[in-house]
């Protein structure tokens, strides 16, 4: 069966307007653009569908529009001429009067956006301080032997934050060690000083880069996971359930995660430094003709305990910051699936931001202290 | 009003999310031993009211008192003490997903009740048996059905033998038989524990089977339009309430 085009026309007498609907009305076909007549109060509107073929909700929409305008102008609307099904749908759609209620404001101007972001940041400061305060109280309770998290939880988090991160930490540190060695060698070879690749890679990795890379990996891996876990618990009302029992969520949920990262971050940092050094040694010996033993002794000479301590301190600080960012974003998550996604993203961004800022501050601090 | 018999008094309570008014001027009293129904259409603020009653959300105005003690205008210790006398069954169950069912029930027993592990386990087994989940102790919440989660959550809500139990739509998503079974359980709890019970529900059979007092929240006027025994409200309440209680079949 071939479809005929939809058609709409009006036949008017002084006291009555008849709306003639013809052809097949389909949402995916062209709709007639006939302009409606001007409606006069006290007149009547009826419909003539004798030539109407098939129809779908596009016709319903048009009829509602016409009948709505006519009704609003004071016309008497008569639906009898419509096919039975259509008339029932029209009555159904009009049955519940539109309820006027304040629509949530969704403004999208640039200034508006800037203002909203500023307000959001401002309003988060108390929340953030409260979170840090809660965490400190939990730590104090832990020191007093009264913090009540599940030991089994802590073990799980330790395993997840540490051993399970080993493959990715190995890969990244190895590649970064390689890059460092190549970069250094290109310069040092000009003076025939390839042996100093060992100093560059050793000190660079152990003091700065191992901690930085570990921190960033933890932010993307563990911090994001924490935010998603806590956010989902927020959605499922699990955190509310803790609160109604008077069980502090910061003890049960935040503390074990925080401790796991603070414990694992320095270990991962140490490991990352080692892998970087091995990578550097591999490149130096195979590509730049440095003896393996010479490289080894050179590295030992270059590295002091101070370098190692500085690296470990940085790693620990980054781990703590990543845990705080992840748990904070998870705990203040809204109660929807979308909010969980946003919390996860925010946790990674905040984590990396905090790491970068604290990296600069720590570098300046250690410089000032002459370490 | 005999203040002695009042388990919960709500006085001119107004609830908001930010600028958005949810309900205003709610005043009603839940007597000790009541099964009190909070009813109203979807989205009118029933769960929100419950959150205000259990101390999760602070009122924009008004007071909530438990046996004469103000929930919100008092220090944290008092609030915690009040909360400890309450058990809550959340709409989604809200079981702690990283713990097995029995651990879910044992956690408050050990941390708040101060029971040792063996005693907590024994009591938790009993609570699980009460809700028909004996044998599921070692299951995780993700491994059981929605109706079972609700029942496990009920067992957890009863962990500390509370004086007042709050249920948010306990029978939503349950088949008619389980739902009727839950009603019986609720009646049983009141009879055996002497608990006061506050239930959010729009299951008409439940409302009439168990409720002896109720409040009706209206979404349009954003306030309560009736309070009293649902059977009486169904006869002589305001039109909206009668329509609600007869599924729109009033004239
Ligand atoms: N966290 C929230 N933020 C803003 N509005 C909310 C929030 N939670 C619920 N609301 C709104 O409050 C109203 C009441 O919700 P609720 O109490 O869950 O209704 P119900 O009576 O169905 O339990 C709803 O219109 C809902 O959109
Ligand atoms: Mg609800």
């Amino acid at each position: 069966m071939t479809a005929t085009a939809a058609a709409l026309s009006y036949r008017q007498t002084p006291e009555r307007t008849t709306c003639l609907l013809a052809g097949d009305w389909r949402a995916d076909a062209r709709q007639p653009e006939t302009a409606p007549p001007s409606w006069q109060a006290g007149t009547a509107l009826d419909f003539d569908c004798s030539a109407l073929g098939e129809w779908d909700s596009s016709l319903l929409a048009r009829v509602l529009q016409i009948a709505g305008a006519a009704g609003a102008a004071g016309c008497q609307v008569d639906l009898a001429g419509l096919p039975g099904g259509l008339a029932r749908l029209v009555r159904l759609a009009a049955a519940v009067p539109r309820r006027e209620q304040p629509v949530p404001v969704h403004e999208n101007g640039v200034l508006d956006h800037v203002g909203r972001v500023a307000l959001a940041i401002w309003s988060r400061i108390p929340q953030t301080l409260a979170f840090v305060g809660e965490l400190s109280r939990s730590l104090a309770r832990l020191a007093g032997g009264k913090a009540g998290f599940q030991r089994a939880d802590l073990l799980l988090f330790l395993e997840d934050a540490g051993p399970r991160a080993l493959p990715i930490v190995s890969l990244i540190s190895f590649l970064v060690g390689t890059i460092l060695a190549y970069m250094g060698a290109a310069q040092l070879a000009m003076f025939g000083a390839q042996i100093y690749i060992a100093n560059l890679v050793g000190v660079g990795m152990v003091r700065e880069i191992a901690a930085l890379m570990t921190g960033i990996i933890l932010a993307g891996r563990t911090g994001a996971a924490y935010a998603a876990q806590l956010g989902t618990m927020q959605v499922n009302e699990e955190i509310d359930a803790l609160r109604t029992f008077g069980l502090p969520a910061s003890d049960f949920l935040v503390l074990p995660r925080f401790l796991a990262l603070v414990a694992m971050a320095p270990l991962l940092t140490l490991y990352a430094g080692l892998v970087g050094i091995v990578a550097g040694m591999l490149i130096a010996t195979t590509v730049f003709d440095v003896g393996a033993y010479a490289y080894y002794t050179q590295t030992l000479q270059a590295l002091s305990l101070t370098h190692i301590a500085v690296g470990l301190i940085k790693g620990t600080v980054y781990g703590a910051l990543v845990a705080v960012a992840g748990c904070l974003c998870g705990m203040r998550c809204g109660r929807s699936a979308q909010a969980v996604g946003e919390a996860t993203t925010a946790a990674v961004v905040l984590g990396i931001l905090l790491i970068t800022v604290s990296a600069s501050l720590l570098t300046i601090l250690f410089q000032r202290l002459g370490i | 009003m005999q203040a002695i018999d009042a388990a919960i008094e709500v006085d001119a309570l107004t609830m908001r999310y930010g600028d958005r008014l949810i309900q205003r001027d709610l005043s009603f009293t839940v007597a000790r031993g009541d099964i009190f129904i909070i009813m109203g259409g979807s989205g009118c603020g029933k769960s929100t009211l419950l959150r205000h009653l259990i101390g999760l959300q602070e009122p924009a105005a008004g007071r909530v008192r438990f046996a004469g003690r103000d929930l919100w205008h008092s220090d944290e210790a008092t609030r915690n003490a009040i909360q400890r006398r309450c058990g809550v069954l959340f709409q989604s169950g809200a079981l702690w997903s990283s713990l097995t069912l029995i651990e879910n029930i044992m956690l408050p027993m050990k941390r708040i009740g101060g029971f040792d592990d063996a005693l907590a386990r024994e009591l938790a087994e009993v609570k699980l048996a009460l809700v028909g989940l004996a044998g599921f102790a070692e299951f995780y919440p993700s491994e059981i059905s929605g109706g079972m989660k609700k029942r496990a959550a009920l067992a957890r809500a009863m962990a500390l033998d509370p004086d007042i139990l709050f249920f948010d739509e306990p029978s939503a998503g349950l088949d008619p038989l389980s739902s009727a079974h839950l009603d019986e359980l609720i009646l049983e709890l009141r009879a055996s524990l002497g608990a006061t019970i506050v239930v959010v529900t729009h299951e008409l059979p439940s409302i009439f089977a168990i409720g002896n007092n109720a409040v009706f929240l209206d979404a349009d006027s954003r306030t309560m339009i009736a309070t009293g025994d649902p059977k009486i409200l169904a006869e002589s309440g305001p039109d909206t309430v009668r329509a609600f209680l007869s599924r729109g079949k009033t004239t």
Side-chain angles (χ1 to χ4, degrees), chain A residues 335, chain B residues 15 17-18 20 22 40-49 51 57 91 168-169 200 202 217 222:
Chain A
R335 272 187 275 152
Chain B
M15 316 186 292
Y17 279 109
R20 184 154 162 234
I22 305 297
S42 287
C44 67
K46 303 181 296 293
S47 298
T48 309
L49 174 57
R51 294 175 65 81
Q57 215 166 320
Q91 197 163 345
D168 196 352
E169 305 206 7
V200 170
H202 24 223
L217 306 184
R222 297 185 191 283

Side-chain angles (χ1 to χ4, degrees), chain A residues 219-342:
Chain A
R221 217 183 149 270
T222 315
Y226 288 177
Q229 289 159 5
L230 296 180
T232 310
M233 297 183 77
Q234 197 72 261
V235 174
N236 292 340
E237 301 178 298
E238 289 177 45
I239 294 179
D240 288 336
L242 277 176
R243 282 171 63 197
T244 55
F245 276 115
L247 297 166
S250 67
D251 276 21
F252 277 89
L253 305 175
V254 179
L255 197 56
R257 290 177 167 82
F258 180 82
L259 292 178
L261 268 189
V262 167
M264 280 304 163
L267 295 181
L268 284 176
T269 302
L270 212 56
Y271 172 77
L274 200 66
V275 173
I277 291 174
V278 169
M281 182 192 271
L282 220 64
I283 299 299
T285 50
T286 53
V287 184
F288 296 101
D289 282 341
V290 180
Y293 186 71
Y295 190 98
Y296 171 71
T297 46
Q298 186 71 19
T299 302
L300 283 190
Q301 259 176 29
L303 279 182
S304 68
L305 267 183
T306 323
H307 292 314
I308 298 177
V310 167
L312 287 183
I313 290 174
K314 287 187 171 176
T316 314
V317 170
Y318 301 161
L321 290 175
V322 165
V324 167
C327 293
L328 173 65
C329 293
M331 292 297 284
R332 72 173 179 214
C333 175
R335 272 187 275 152
S336 68
Q338 186 184 356
V340 176
E342 283 165 7

Side-chain angles (χ1 to χ4, degrees), chain A residues 99 101-102 137 147-150 153 233 235-247 252 335, chain B residues 17 51 54-56 76 80 83 88 90-92 94-97 99 107-108 111-112 156 160 220 222:
Chain A
R99 218 195 286 160
Q101 41 193 349
R137 281 168 64 185
F149 59 82
Q150 310 281 99
D153 277 359
M233 297 183 77
V235 174
N236 292 340
E237 301 178 298
E238 289 177 45
I239 294 179
D240 288 336
L242 277 176
R243 282 171 63 197
T244 55
F245 276 115
L247 297 166
F252 277 89
R335 272 187 275 152
Chain B
Y17 279 109
R51 294 175 65 81
I54 57 183
L56 287 179
E76 207 179 313
N80 279 343
Q83 282 179 325
V88 186
F90 285 88
Q91 197 163 345
S92 57
L95 292 168
W96 296 307
S97 46
L99 303 180
L107 182 69
R111 300 292 175 196
I112 304 295
R156 187 185 65 185
L160 298 174
D220 290 332
R222 297 185 191 283

